[in-house]
Amino acid sequence: SRRRRDENLKEAPATPPYNLSEYFKQFLFPQNECELHSFRLSFSQLKWDKWIIAPHRYSPQYCKGDCPRVVGHRYGSPVHTMVQNIIYEKLDSSVPKPSCVPAEYSPLSVLTIEPDGSIVYKEYEDMIATKCTCR
Amino acid sequence: PHSRDRVVSDKLSGLLVAPEDATSELNPLLRLPKAVRRGYALLPPLLKVLSDQGHQNWESEAPRLQPDSRALRYMKRLYKMSATKEGIPKANRSHLYNTVRLFTPCSECKHSHRDLMKGDLHSVDLLFNLDRVTALEHLLKSVLLYSFDTSIPTSSSFTCTCHLSVKEHDFSSQVCPSVSHTVAFSLHFEVRKRKWVEIDVTSFLQPLIATNRRNIHMAVNFTCLMGDPQHNTKQDNSINMALVPPSLLLYLNDTSEQAYHRWNSLRRRRKNPVRPRRRNSPFADIADDKGRENPQGKRA
């Protein structure tokens, strides 16, 4: 990899020196790989704010990106993920490649008005994605 | 078994949905197996609307009863104490409950002097309808919540007596049941800025709620004297509390899958701490591939 990097250096486009670290990064970290993306909504957009008192905003986040061919342990993926990749590439391409999905969540507290006018505070499990994986 | 293979399980609502191609036109409720439909009806509204989005127009639903503004203010304060700005339950809160329900009385019934207990001029019957409490929500604590009105001077001290009795349903009178068992106690406290008084009635209500009683009739008389009774005996200092009916607060532990179980997630986090992906170290990937202790990796 050092020789390839040297060659690349020779062919490097005339980028101004100050973003060299960005330049290196594109070789070390492939772009568009599976990653957590932030997404924020407000319940008023869904017209639910009449009965959802809090929170006003909710950030569920989401996972998006390519799963590398050899997933390895970077995503904590089980061995099955690599097997599925091999099935897709060598045996049956109708079997989908591993997908970029949430691996861990955090809970969300919600304050709502019930139909009978009572008020309920409840903590819900798994409402905010915090980590992504390929599987 | 083939159809079962193709069943789609929807983690978010915990529902099993029948094969998609055969049922998509049916009314969503018809599509669910009977037992699940019963559970579905008791799903918290948030999960119901998440499951139903696009199948049911929530706008056309019957208008909701608006809660009492004081009750709403109290619950907003509880929310701020329990969750961060992003709505995540605060980690430093060590409370066991993951659900708190506040009910305001749905009907009042004043007793005539004839059958009041002697000296009990302000007794009011209150009916709380607890239908929204599900079978998986287990009672941890129940509190009667009194709010003082703003005209009372702050940091005044009070001595209050409270007569509390639970009524069995008297079928001869449709609304006003007869007395069954009663408890009386007195409190001495000082009203701070917040002007709320919580009276713990857990031991009193526990047997009722544990036997799935959902209509709780209570006669409550709450009379307060301002200041300390030893020093002044003037009656004109009494504050007529019974006019402001209390709300009923239930602290519950919801054991359903959708509810957040604080202790489980702490245990899970302790079992496998997650090492964040280090972007700033150029060798992160290599270290990851070699360094991470993954039993499967080692065995492979």
Side-chain angles (χ1 to χ4, degrees):
Chain A
S1 62
R2 195 175 296 120
R3 195 177 340 97
R4 201 179 332 87
R5 200 181 301 139
D6 290 344
E7 281 161 15
N8 285 344
L9 264 179
K10 271 195 220 84
E11 296 160 14
T15 49
Y18 62 88
N19 63 356
L20 203 55
S21 64
E22 285 303 314
Y23 179 73
F24 271 118
K25 214 179 277 182
Q26 65 177 321
F27 296 108
L28 293 177
F29 295 98
Q31 304 309 303
N32 300 321
E33 204 169 274
C34 176
E35 200 170 21
L36 184 70
H37 293 260
S38 69
F39 185 88
R40 176 177 261 205
L41 61 91
S42 70
F43 287 113
S44 56
Q45 287 171 277
L46 298 167
K47 295 194 180 45
W48 291 356
D49 53 332
K50 286 196 220 47
W51 55 281
I52 296 184
I53 308 295
H56 296 301
R57 281 182 292 282
Y58 168 34
S59 305
Q61 325 298 33
Y62 67 93
C63 295
K64 181 185 159 195
D66 302 331
C67 285
R69 244 184 95 253
V70 180
V71 177
H73 301 297
R74 195 178 332 155
Y75 292 101
S77 303
V79 175
H80 174 276
T81 306
M82 285 189 277
V83 173
Q84 185 167 337
N85 232 353
I86 292 168
I87 291 170
Y88 167 77
E89 286 186 6
K90 302 206 181 307
L91 299 174
D92 180 354
S93 59
S94 71
V95 170
K97 291 175 65 177
S99 309
C100 174
V101 292
E104 272 193 23
Y105 298 91
S106 77
L108 180 72
S109 296
V110 184
L111 189 66
T112 56
I113 298 177
E114 297 270 50
D116 63 1
S118 63
I119 307 169
V120 59
Y121 163 88
K122 194 177 268 295
E123 298 171 348
Y124 290 93
E125 189 83 287
D126 300 340
M127 293 290 279
I128 301 172
T130 54
K131 183 173 173 285
C132 299
T133 185
C134 283
R135 54 177 55 189
Chain B
H2 284 299
S3 62
R4 197 175 50 230
D5 282 348
R6 294 196 55 231
V7 165
V8 175
S9 102
D10 180 340
K11 174 92 174 70
L12 184 64
S13 64
L15 307 176
L16 289 179
V17 176
E20 288 169 27
D21 51 359
T23 54
S24 52
E25 296 76 36
L26 289 178
N27 176 301
L29 284 180
L30 289 177
R31 277 188 284 168
L32 300 174
K34 203 150 177 300
V36 174
R37 209 165 4 155
R38 202 176 308 117
Y40 173 77
L42 287 179
L43 262 184
L46 176 64
L47 297 189
K48 223 191 279 188
V49 78
L50 285 175
S51 322
D52 261 0
Q53 190 50 43
H55 295 293
Q56 192 175 4
N57 182 353
W58 281 91
E59 295 296 317
S60 61
E61 196 191 290
R64 290 167 184 270
L65 297 176
Q66 283 310 304
D68 172 59
S69 59
R70 278 170 305 203
L72 203 52
R73 204 167 44 243
Y74 183 87
M75 289 301 279
K76 281 181 181 173
R77 185 168 70 79
L78 182 138
Y79 184 88
K80 276 196 185 122
M81 286 165 50
S82 305
T84 64
K85 264 214 185 78
E86 290 74 39
I88 297 174
K90 286 180 181 175
N92 62 355
R93 306 277 302 162
S94 59
H95 55 261
L96 292 176
Y97 60 84
N98 54 22
T99 301
V100 180
R101 291 187 177 276
L102 187 143
F103 296 92
T104 44
C106 45
S107 74
E108 291 176 37
C109 141
K110 286 197 186 315
H111 276 278
S112 62
H113 282 289
R114 186 171 46 75
D115 56 4
L116 282 179
M117 291 179 281
K118 194 154 48 53
D120 180 356
L121 296 177
H122 305 296
S123 179
V124 172
D125 264 15
L126 301 172
L127 167 65
F128 291 102
N129 180 323
L130 309 184
D131 277 347
R132 300 304 296 178
V133 179
T134 69
L136 294 179
E137 293 177 350
H138 306 283
L139 180 68
L140 295 176
K141 182 181 174 186
S142 50
V143 173
L144 271 181
L145 191 62
Y146 270 96
S147 68
F148 287 101
D149 64 33
T150 50
S151 62
I152 293 181
T154 54
S155 70
S156 343
S157 73
F158 288 91
T159 301
C160 300
T161 55
C162 179
H163 288 270
L164 190 66
S165 58
V166 169
K167 308 287 183 88
E168 295 299 334
H169 208 62
D170 172 0
F171 291 100
S172 60
S173 143
Q174 277 308 310
V175 176
C176 298
S178 62
V179 176
S180 71
H181 39 265
T182 301
V183 67
F185 48 89
S186 67
L187 306 169
H188 179 74
F189 52 84
E190 285 192 23
V191 171
R192 290 265 176 273
K193 194 165 38 81
R194 289 202 190 87
K195 299 193 180 346
W196 299 93
V197 169
E198 296 179 1
I199 303 174
D200 192 330
V201 290
T202 307
S203 54
F204 204 65
L205 292 187
Q206 185 81 32
L208 301 176
I209 293 180
T211 52
N212 281 332
R213 185 86 64 76
R214 288 290 174 265
N215 284 309
I216 306 284
H217 278 166
M218 279 201 270
V220 182
N221 168 286
F222 193 67
T223 309
C224 295
L225 290 177
M226 197 182 286
D228 192 341
Q230 272 83 21
H231 299 106
N232 61 41
T233 54
K234 277 186 290 147
Q235 275 300 324
D236 59 356
N237 278 343
S238 73
I239 306 282
N240 190 342
M241 291 296 292
L243 292 179
V244 177
S247 302
L248 180 63
L249 208 58
L250 301 184
Y251 293 88
L252 302 152
N253 178 33
D254 182 349
T255 54
S256 69
E257 194 185 317
Q258 291 83 15
Y260 172 48
H261 303 290
R262 186 177 301 277
W263 307 113
N264 285 356
S265 64
L266 281 176
R267 204 179 300 135
R268 210 170 38 223
R269 210 170 293 152
R270 208 171 294 141
K271 200 185 292 176
N272 56 7
V274 173
R275 223 175 331 173
R277 178 174 168 204
R278 289 187 299 275
R279 263 185 176 269
N280 50 10
S281 146
F283 301 106
D285 281 319
I286 300 168
D288 267 359
D289 282 345
K290 287 217 180 71
R292 186 172 292 185
E293 289 301 317
N294 179 328
Q296 284 173 347
K298 197 177 286 177
R299 201 169 36 249

